Amino acid sequence: MPKLIKNGEIVDNLYTWQQDSESAATETSIVPMSKWLAEQNTIGPVAGIWIDAGEGVESLTDIDLTQFAVIGINFPAFVDGRGFSYARLLRERLGYKGEIRALGSFIADQLGYLLRVGFNGFQFGEEVDLEKALALHKSFSIAYQGDVNEPRPMFLRR
Amino acid sequence: MYQYDAIDQQLVDERVAQFRDQTRRYLNDELSEQDFLPLRLQNGLYVQRYAPMLRIAIPYGMLSSDQLRTLADISRRYDRAYGHFSTRQNLQLNWPKLEDVPDILAELAKVQMHAVQTSGNCIRNTTTDQYAGVIADEVVDPRPYCELIRQWSTFHPEFAFLPRKFKIAVNATESADRAATQVHDIGLHIKKNEAGDIGFKVIVGGGLGRTPMVGVTINEFLPREDLLTYLDAIIRVYNQQGRRDNKYKARIKILVKALGIEEFRKRVDAEWVHLRGKESTVPMSEFERLQGFFTEPAYQALENNPASLTSKLAESAGFARWYERNTFEHKKPGYRIVTLTLKKAGQAPGDATSDQMEKAATLADQFSFGELRVSHEQNLVLSDVRQDQLVDVWEAAKEAGFATPTLGLLTDMICCPGGDFCALANAKSIPIAEQIQQTFDNLDYLYDLGNIDLNISGCMNACGHHHVGNIGILGVDKKGQEFYQVSIGGASGHDASIGKILGPSFAQEEISDVIQKLMDVYVSNRTDEERFIDTYRRVGITPFKEAAYAKAN
Ligand code: HEM
Ligand code: SF4
C-alpha cells in the first residue's frame, strides 16, 4: 500500500487522490473541490476534497467541513506558495480540524513551514524516500510570528 | 542597536545548521539543482556569471564595528578581499565558494548577522533612512519599527514562496525620503496624528524593474499596533491573487494596478477584518522593548561650531568642501553625521576592500560610538561624530579613500554590478561609472552643478535604480553590442517620479559626451535656485533631447 507522512509518522495511505472530475467518487476518494461543490447533493460520502492552486477557500465558507476526513491542497510547483495561505485559512478562519494534506510538487525542505500553517499530512511523490523526508519533519524550535500551532507571536511570550 | 538575545541567536544558529545540511545534500546529489535553488536564494546565495554571489543582510543598514570587521575578515578569507555595498543596505560577496557558504554563515551568526531572505521570492531585508535616529526632524526613530518588521518577516511560514520578491522600506521624516520608499512593494511613512498617536501612512505597489511604478497610498494612517496584522492582510491577498504565470508580471505593483487601488484596498480590508485586534497586534511592551535598543549613546554636552572646526573651515578649501558635501546636520549640538563615500574614481561604486572595511570600523570605534550605517546610495555613514573631531575624521577618511567630497553630486552614482559580474546583464555598468568619474573630475564644476542623482543599471531589472535617477543609464543589447539608453527626470524622494527616455540609445564611448550636453542645457536654463531636476521639470525634456541628439557641426 502507498505510504504517506501523517502526524509525524509514516503510515498507509488509505485514500485515493482523484485528480480528474470524471471518475465516480467513493468513500475513499479525495475529490476535486469544484466537483464536490457542483455535485454535493448527489455525490455521497467521500474521504475529502482537494483544493487546487488558484481556487482559494472562500467557496467553503458555508460548508460543514466536519464531513471531510481530509482536505488536500495541491502544489502545482513547490515554489507556488498559495497553498500556505489556504491551509492557514482552513484552520484559522474555517476552523477545520481534520487532516490537511499536501499534494503535488511540494518538497521535504518545506515541511517546517508547511507544519506551521496547519498541514499534518504529506503525500509525497513516489520517488521520495519518506524516511529521509521524516528527518526534515520539524520546524525551527523558535518562531517570531504566531502560526496555526501557536497563535501568539514571540513578543507575547518573550 | 538591536542585540540578539538567546532566542534570536538560536534561530540564526538553527538556520545555519539547516543550510549546512541542505548544501551537503546538494553536493551529494540528494537534493536536485532545481530544489536547491530557492533554498539557497532564501539564504542569499545566487549563482552568477563567474561564481556564486552571497548577499549578506545588514538589517536597515545598521552595523557595529565588530560586525564590519567580521565582514572584512570573511571577504578576505573566503573572497577576494572586497565586498559590494548594495542599494538595499546589503553586502554582496562576488567570489565565495558554494561549499564555504555554510561556514561563512556560521561566522556571521557569531556576530548576530545572517543572509536570511536576502533574495528569493520572500520578504526581503527592510530598509530605512541611513540618518535614522540622529536627525532632528524625524517623527520618531524608525529603527525599532524596522526591527519589528525584521522579526515578523523572518521565516514567516506563510510568505516564503510569494509570487515574487517583496521589499519594504520605512521613512520617518517629511523633509526627505532617503529610502526611496515610494518605489518599494510597501513603503511606510511614520506619522503622528492629531492625538499624538504614532502610525503609518502605507504606500503599496511601487517598484522598479521592467514596469517601474510609483506606489499609491492604501492607508493614510494605520495605528502602529495594527502594523503586523495589516501587513499580513496585504501580503495574504498578494500571495493568493498575485500573478504567477509570468515572473515579470508577478510583483504586487501589477496586481494593484490591475485591480485599481480601491478594489485592492477593499480586498485587503476584507482580509484585515479577521486579523485586526488578534494576537499579532503589537503591544506597547514590545514597542518599548525594541525602543530600548535604540537609546542615545553617551553624547556630551557640546556647542555647535567649535573654534577648531571654524578655523579649519576658513583655512582649508578641501576640508570645507568635504564638510559641506559629506557631512550632515545632527540633532545634537556639537555633533555631525559623516558619510564615508565609496565612490572613489577607479573603484566600483559601493565597493569596499577588506582593508577599507577595517579602517571604517576603526573610525567608528574612535569617533562614532562603534556603530556605522550603510546607505541606499552605497556609502557608509558615521552617525555621531563630534564636530571638534571632524578634522581628524577627514584626514583619516582621505587616507582610506573615503573622502571623495562628492556626496549627492553627479559622480556620487548608484551603479549595479552589471556585466562584469551579473549573469542577467545586457551591458557593463561599472565602466560607465568610471568613464563619468574620469570625465567629470573637476570639483568646482561638480559643485556648481549641485545635486544630481545619476543611476546606472546593466539591464531592465533596474538594480541600479536608473528609473528614479535624475539621470538614468540603462544597458541594452543591440544586436549583440552593448548600448546605453539614457533617461532623465526620475526622482526617488517624496517627489518620486519615473524618468523619461531621451531617445535612441548610445554607444559606450558617447555617454560622457551626452551627459555633458545635458549639463550644458541645465546650466544655460537654470535659475539661481534650481537643481537639475527642477529645471527639467520646468522646461521639459525637449531642450535636453535636442541637445543630446544634435549633430556636431
Ligand atoms: C549580481 C547579481 C544580481 C542579480 C542576479 C539581481 C537580480 C535582480 C532581478 C532579476 C531584479 C528584478 C526583479 C523584478 O523586477 O521583479 C532585480 C531588481 C533589483 N535589484 Fe538586483 N540583482 C543583483 C544585484 C543587485 C545589487 C548589487 C543591488 C544593489 C546595488 C540590487 C538591487 C536591486 C534593486 C534595488 C532592484 C529593484 C527592485 C524593484 O524592482 O523594485 N541587485 N535584481
Ligand atoms: S540591473 Fe541587471 S545587470 Fe544590473 S545587477 Fe541587476 S540584474 Fe544584473
Side-chain angles (χ1 to χ4, degrees):
Chain A
M1 178 164 280
K3 308 272 183 193
L4 83 161
I5 295 180
K6 189 173 163 185
N7 295 329
E9 288 173 25
I10 298 172
V11 298
D12 287 340
N13 183 3
L14 305 174
Y15 309 132
T16 321
W17 176 21
Q18 186 182 313
Q19 301 199 36
D20 64 282
S21 284
E22 281 73 51
S23 358
T26 73
E27 286 183 15
T28 58
S29 327
I30 305 176
V31 301
M33 174 173 78
S34 54
K35 176 183 171 75
W36 189 88
L37 286 169
E39 301 170 17
Q40 52 183 296
N41 297 322
T42 54
I43 195 168
V46 293
I49 57 174
W50 66 274
I51 305 166
D52 207 353
E55 292 184 326
V57 301
E58 228 155 76
S59 48
L60 296 176
T61 306
D62 297 317
I63 306 291
D64 172 17
L65 299 181
T66 59
Q67 65 187 302
F68 303 127
V70 54
I71 297 181
I73 295 175
N74 181 41
F75 288 83
F78 79 94
V79 291
D80 184 333
R82 286 177 278 194
F84 289 86
S85 290
Y86 298 169
R88 194 160 186 185
L89 288 168
L90 281 176
R91 293 280 190 232
E92 291 181 350
R93 188 137 331 145
L94 304 180
Y96 180 65
K97 299 271 186 321
E99 176 186 346
I100 299 183
R101 181 178 293 193
L103 300 168
S105 301
F106 66 98
I107 61 172
D109 287 276
Q110 291 176 304
L111 282 167
Y113 287 145
L114 290 165
L115 287 163
R116 288 185 59 200
V117 294
F119 286 91
N120 62 333
F122 304 96
Q123 182 171 332
F124 284 96
E126 275 163 25
E127 70 290 352
V128 174
D129 179 337
L130 291 187
E131 292 292 345
K132 283 192 173 151
L134 207 50
L136 299 172
H137 187 282
K138 57 174 193 291
S139 307
F140 291 141
S141 52
I142 284 168
Y144 285 128
Q145 321 73 11
D147 58 28
V148 166
N149 308 314
E150 169 52 273
R152 291 174 309 150
M154 184 52 75
F155 55 65
L156 296 180
R157 294 178 280 133
R158 227 166 177 141
Chain B
M1 62 193 271
Y2 188 71
Q3 299 294 325
Y4 282 11
D5 63 11
I7 291 170
D8 305 294
Q9 189 65 47
Q10 183 168 347
L11 205 46
V12 295
D13 289 346
E14 288 186 21
R15 176 61 152 202
V16 173
Q18 180 193 53
F19 189 66
R20 193 180 289 285
D21 180 57
Q22 288 166 342
T23 307
R24 180 190 59 75
R25 283 185 284 129
Y26 169 71
L27 294 172
N28 286 345
D29 288 330
E30 290 172 44
L31 196 56
S32 72
E33 185 78 47
Q34 187 201 344
D35 290 359
F36 186 53
L37 178 102
L39 305 176
R40 65 169 163 74
L41 286 180
Q42 304 228 353
N43 285 287
L45 186 59
Y46 281 82
V47 173
Q48 275 312 304
R49 185 152 281 195
Y50 303 110
M53 183 272 279
L54 180 67
R55 188 179 288 156
I56 297 165
I58 302 175
Y60 40 94
M62 291 296 298
L63 207 49
S64 72
S65 53
D66 282 345
Q67 289 175 327
L68 186 54
R69 265 186 212 102
T70 299
L71 294 176
D73 179 51
I74 287 175
S75 35
R76 193 176 284 127
R77 276 164 49 210
Y78 297 100
D79 203 296
R80 299 189 181 171
Y82 73 96
H84 176 75
F85 288 96
S86 87
T87 55
R88 302 212 66 264
Q89 302 183 317
N90 292 317
L91 178 77
Q92 294 191 175
L93 299 181
N94 289 311
W95 309 97
K97 285 207 212 53
L98 183 115
E99 50 276 27
D100 286 340
V101 172
D103 291 337
I104 298 176
L105 297 181
E107 300 274 341
L108 289 172
K110 284 189 208 154
V111 290
Q112 312 193 345
M113 295 188 84
H114 58 72
V116 171
Q117 292 169 211
T118 53
S119 75
N121 295 331
C122 49
I123 306 168
R124 304 285 191 87
N125 186 23
T126 297
T127 54
T128 194
D129 193 334
Q130 70 272 20
Y131 300 159
V134 289
I135 46 174
D137 63 359
E138 70 191 354
V139 178
V140 288
D141 186 344
R143 293 171 299 169
Y145 301 91
C146 293
E147 179 58 27
L148 181 71
I149 297 169
R150 184 190 76 81
Q151 298 195 11
W152 158 82
S153 61
T154 299
F155 310 132
H156 196 301
E158 192 180 340
F159 303 139
F161 299 92
L162 295 171
R164 203 77 181 83
K165 57 170 110 169
F166 203 92
K167 302 176 180 177
I168 302 176
V170 186
N171 164 278
T173 168
E174 297 282 339
S175 63
D177 178 1
R178 279 174 285 261
T181 58
Q182 295 193 59
V183 289
H184 281 71
D185 297 280
I186 290 182
L188 297 170
H189 291 186
I190 302 186
K191 302 271 176 196
K192 252 187 200 152
N193 69 7
E194 278 159 21
D197 304 324
I198 296 168
F200 302 89
K201 174 166 154 177
V202 183
I203 296 166
V204 69
L208 300 172
R210 278 171 203 237
T211 344
M213 286 187 205
V214 173
V216 283
T217 302
I218 181 168
N219 195 323
E220 281 293 345
F221 188 83
L222 175 74
R224 62 175 172 172
E225 58 273 22
D226 295 329
L227 178 64
L228 301 186
T229 56
Y230 196 73
L231 292 177
D232 272 327
I234 293 180
I235 302 178
R236 183 173 284 172
V237 169
Y238 168 58
N239 188 37
Q240 295 183 82
Q241 300 176 22
R243 284 182 63 173
R244 289 177 186 264
D245 57 327
N246 176 342
K247 78 172 191 172
Y248 299 113
K249 300 207 179 329
R251 296 284 291 269
I252 196 173
K253 63 191 172 190
I254 306 288
L255 178 66
V256 173
K257 176 98 177 171
L259 295 175
I261 187 66
E262 296 302 327
E263 177 60 25
F264 183 74
R265 182 184 295 120
K266 228 171 78 191
R267 294 186 190 189
V268 169
D269 285 343
E271 189 56 48
W272 191 37
V273 168
H274 299 281
L275 301 174
R276 188 175 193 179
K278 291 278 173 58
E279 288 88 348
S280 297
T281 306
V282 187
M284 205 47 217
S285 57
E286 178 66 358
F287 290 121
E288 282 164 0
R289 186 182 81 90
L290 293 174
Q291 278 154 9
F293 290 104
F294 300 95
T295 49
E296 287 189 353
Y299 291 125
Q300 297 186 25
L302 299 170
E303 296 287 318
N304 268 333
N305 303 319
S308 60
L309 172 64
T310 48
S311 62
K312 186 75 178 181
L313 282 173
E315 92 203 19
S316 162
F319 176 73
R321 242 185 212 142
W322 175 82
Y323 176 85
E324 184 197 325
R325 290 312 314 183
N326 290 19
T327 75
F328 196 83
E329 195 174 335
H330 196 284
K331 67 177 180 186
K332 288 283 171 204
Y335 285 85
R336 198 85 186 157
I337 307 169
V338 172
T339 298
L340 302 176
T341 50
L342 301 177
K343 302 297 167 66
K344 204 172 111 160
Q347 198 164 351
D351 274 9
T353 62
S354 297
D355 288 347
Q356 282 184 311
M357 291 185 221
E358 272 159 5
K359 283 182 184 147
T362 305
L363 286 177
D365 283 338
Q366 285 177 330
F367 299 109
S368 197
F369 300 102
E371 282 181 10
L372 303 101
R373 286 94 182 290
V374 180
S375 79
H376 159 67
E377 284 87 10
Q378 308 184 276
N379 294 312
L380 295 174
V381 173
L382 299 176
S383 54
D384 302 286
V385 179
R386 282 171 57 156
Q387 291 177 4
D388 58 8
Q389 296 182 331
L390 281 170
V391 176
D392 301 329
V393 172
W394 177 61
E395 299 284 357
K398 267 198 306 190
E399 210 180 293
F402 293 139
T404 315
T406 54
L407 188 68
L409 300 180
L410 183 68
T411 52
D412 181 28
M413 294 166 272
I414 293 180
C415 179
C416 82
D420 291 299
F421 299 100
C422 174
L424 306 176
N426 285 328
K428 294 197 169 74
S429 48
I430 295 170
I432 297 292
E434 257 175 0
Q435 187 192 127
I436 294 170
Q437 261 156 351
Q438 279 160 9
T439 313
F440 296 91
D441 61 348
N442 180 327
L443 285 176
D444 289 329
Y445 182 59
L446 286 172
Y447 278 64
D448 179 58
L449 293 174
N451 284 319
I452 301 177
D453 291 338
L454 191 151
N455 297 350
I456 311 171
S457 305
C459 77
M460 59 284 204
N461 286 319
C463 302
H465 283 236
H466 65 278
H467 300 296
V468 290
N470 301 160
I471 298 176
I473 301 180
L474 164 67
V476 292
D477 176 286
K478 241 183 164 167
K479 301 197 187 93
Q481 300 266 40
E482 299 189 354
F483 272 74
Y484 298 88
Q485 197 176 66
V486 175
S487 57
I488 59 173
S492 65
H494 283 306
D495 60 346
S497 57
I498 305 294
K500 285 211 175 68
I501 297 165
L502 213 48
S505 52
F506 300 98
Q508 179 166 338
E509 61 277 10
E510 295 176 293
I511 291 294
S512 297
D513 197 37
V514 171
I515 306 291
Q516 184 63 62
K517 287 173 181 164
L518 299 178
M519 292 304 115
D520 293 345
V521 175
Y522 163 56
V523 169
S524 57
N525 282 277
R526 69 180 168 187
T527 64
D528 283 354
E529 306 280 277
E530 275 180 346
R531 297 168 302 164
F532 174 81
I533 183 76
D534 303 321
T535 304
Y536 164 80
R537 284 179 177 155
R538 184 171 54 79
V539 306
I541 196 168
T542 312
F544 291 99
K545 199 174 191 150
E546 284 171 1
Y549 295 99
K551 289 268 170 298
N553 53 1

